């Protein structure tokens, strides 16, 4: 199995989980080791997982590695909305061109592909909309990040239909858990509180995200690789809708701070209001179901992980906060 982006947040958790639950699978990671990728994450499985440093935008390298694989799971991406508003080019290069090169390689070598994507391709919902996203929802991405992920999804669908590429796609909601970069919402607030700094809420903190533990996402990806119907898209979600203020209040409570100990800061331009996933198709076809049903318990585990791994996040924290200071958030 070739895992692109296997040194990032979700990819790391995926590789560690595969090493634990599928000891007979041979795994190779292709990762550019950008600011978001950390090779130390995979040190504990180095005897069983080969890490190749390189870009999915490197057509020759991708062709060689794909040709030596039976299945590719494609996590590699530029993943942070705020960065995509600041400098969109790396998002186009990695998310669009990188996916194009992978598709051409799996097509040439007839290799099975699973493409990992996001619910953000569907745009956003009103706060009071009774609908959730389904596989039938129209694409309507808002940010440069989500537009490049939508572009990649459409390339995958076209390669399936036009060239018979053996691929599945999944679109998941917001993940949380260990190894997430401190630029992202939940790790930023946990590490702020650990450093005695107030959490920062964009706007009024009323935007809603549908939270899922990273292990539940990755179990769903393995399930789709093993049971998914070729050419199909599956939405992955765990019924975890909370607004951002509710998440901060949970963290403050877990970490022994007053419920109003946060700052409201300037909003993200074009900030999507609400995401919500209906994952009935995946559950009905495969029997997959989330194991982390209690967001508070999942956050408690995540707080414990960041509290015990300051040496993992301290260096990245300074850089992330310098960027937020420049952006006024
Ligand atoms: P991340 O930013 O933590 O990790 C991305 C990884 O990709 C890093 O290791 C980075 O070094 C690597 N990478 C970046 N550019 C590369 C390139 N050109 N070639 C090879 N590797 C490269 O991201 P994440 O949160 O782990 O997201 C992984 C995937 O899951 C992405 O495709 C993202 O769109 C998708 N996704 C994320 C979430 C979420 O909540 N984080 C939800 C749904 C879908
Ligand atoms: O929905 C899936 C997507 O979730 C993934 O495709 C993306 O890769 C992932 O980054 C995430 O996108 P979001 O933009 O939703 O995540 P982020 O962690 O940046 O922000 C979550 C919410 O919190 C969002 O409403 C913005 C808000 N926020 C974020 C930060 C960093 C704050 O209020 N304060 C903050 O400091």
């Amino acid at each position: 199995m070739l895992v692109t982006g296997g040194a990032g947040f979700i990819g790391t958790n995926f590789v560690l989980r595969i090493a634990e639950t599928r000891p007979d699978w041979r795994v190779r990671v292709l990762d550019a080791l950008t600011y978001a990728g950390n090779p130390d994450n995979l040190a504990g499985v180095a005897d069983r997982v080969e890490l190749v440093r390189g870009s999915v935008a490197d057509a020759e390298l991708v062709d060689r590695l794909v040709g030596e694989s039976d299945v590719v799971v494609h996590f590699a991406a530029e993943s942070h909305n705020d960065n995509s508003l600041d400098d969109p080019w790396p998002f186009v290069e990695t998310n669009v061109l990188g996916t194009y090169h992978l598709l051409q390689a799996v097509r040439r070598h007839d290799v099975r592909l699973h493409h990992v994507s996001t619910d953000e391709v569907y745009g956003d919902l009103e706060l009071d909309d009774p609908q959730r996203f389904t596989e039938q929802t129209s694409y309507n991405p808002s940010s440069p990040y989500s537009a490049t992920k939508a572009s990649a999804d459409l390339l995958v669908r076209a390669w399936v239909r036009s060239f018979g590429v053996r691929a599945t796609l999944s679109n998941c909601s917001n993940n949380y858990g260990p190894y997430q970069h401190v630029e992202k919402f939940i790790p930023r607030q946990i590490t702020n509180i650990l450093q005695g700094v107030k959490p920062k809420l964009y706007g009024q903190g009323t935007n809603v995200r549908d939270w899922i533990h990273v292990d539940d996402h990755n179990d769903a990806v393995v399930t789709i690789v093993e049971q998914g119907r070729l050419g199909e898209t599956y939405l992955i979600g765990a019924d975890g809708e909370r607004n951002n203020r509710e998440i901060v209040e949970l963290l403050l409570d877990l970490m022994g701070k007053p419920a109003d100990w946060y700052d409201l800061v300037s909003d993200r331009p074009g900030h999507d209001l609400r995401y919500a996933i209906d994952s009935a198709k995946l559950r009905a076809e495969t029997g997959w179901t989330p194991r982390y049903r209690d967001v508070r318990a999942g956050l408690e585990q995540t707080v414990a992980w960041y509290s015990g791994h300051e040496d993992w996040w301290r260096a990245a924290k300074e850089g992330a906060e310098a960027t937020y200071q420049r952006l006024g958030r």
Side-chain angles (χ1 to χ4, degrees), residues 9-10 81 117-120 133 171-177 180 184-186 208-214 217 236-238 240 242 244 268 274-277:
F9 162 46
I10 305 177
N81 276 298
S117 191
T118 169
D119 59 358
E120 293 193 19
F133 298 138
N171 297 80
C172 188
S173 59
N174 285 62
N175 286 219
Y176 69 93
Q180 187 167 30
K184 301 298 195 311
F185 176 56
I186 287 177
V208 171
R209 296 295 182 265
D210 189 353
W211 293 98
I212 181 171
H213 192 280
V214 64
H217 180 186
I236 306 172
R242 298 281 189 287
N244 294 334
R268 171 187 286 171
R274 170 174 164 244
Y275 307 139
I277 287 271

Side-chain angles (χ1 to χ4, degrees), residues 25 28 54 61 102 118 133 137 188 215 222 239 256 264 300 302 312 321:
W25 290 14
R28 182 187 257 171
L61 176 65
L102 264 182
T118 169
F133 298 138
T137 305
R188 183 182 187 204
D215 286 346
V222 176
D239 306 323
L264 298 178
E300 193 169 10
T302 306
W312 184 86
E321 290 306 323

Side-chain angles (χ1 to χ4, degrees), residues 40-192:
D40 296 344
N41 296 354
L42 304 177
V45 291
D47 54 330
R48 299 167 47 203
V49 174
E50 184 194 353
L51 172 60
V52 177
R53 181 176 193 164
S55 174
V56 287
D58 178 342
E60 271 180 39
L61 176 65
V62 165
D63 186 72
R64 177 172 70 76
L65 298 180
V66 167
E68 295 169 0
S69 309
D70 296 324
V71 53
V72 178
V73 180
H74 179 33
F75 290 100
E78 287 290 338
S79 69
H80 194 38
N81 276 298
D82 288 322
N83 293 345
S84 81
L85 295 161
D86 200 31
D87 179 12
W89 167 246
F91 290 75
V92 175
E93 184 177 39
T94 291
N95 302 359
V96 184
L97 292 181
T99 302
Y100 163 79
H101 290 309
L102 264 182
L103 282 166
Q104 287 291 67
V106 297
R107 176 186 171 200
R108 267 192 295 272
H109 298 285
D110 189 23
V111 167
R112 165 90 167 87
L113 170 71
H114 180 69
H115 173 69
V116 177
S117 191
T118 169
D119 59 358
E120 293 193 19
V121 299
Y122 300 115
D124 60 356
L125 297 161
E126 294 298 326
L127 292 180
D128 59 356
D129 190 335
Q131 307 289 323
R132 297 186 291 171
F133 298 138
T134 73
E135 289 78 4
Q136 277 71 49
T137 305
S138 301
Y139 274 42
N140 188 25
S142 314
S143 73
Y145 162 67
S146 48
T148 58
K149 291 297 292 186
S151 307
D153 290 13
L154 297 181
L155 291 177
V156 177
R157 290 179 179 200
W159 263 240
V160 167
R161 176 154 174 169
S162 303
F163 305 124
V165 156
R166 293 184 295 127
T168 42
L169 300 90
S170 57
N171 297 80
C172 188
S173 59
N174 285 62
N175 286 219
Y176 69 93
Y179 297 102
Q180 187 167 30
H181 196 278
V182 288
E183 69 190 355
K184 301 298 195 311
F185 176 56
I186 287 177
R188 183 182 187 204
Q189 313 317 335
I190 294 174
T191 53
N192 271 1

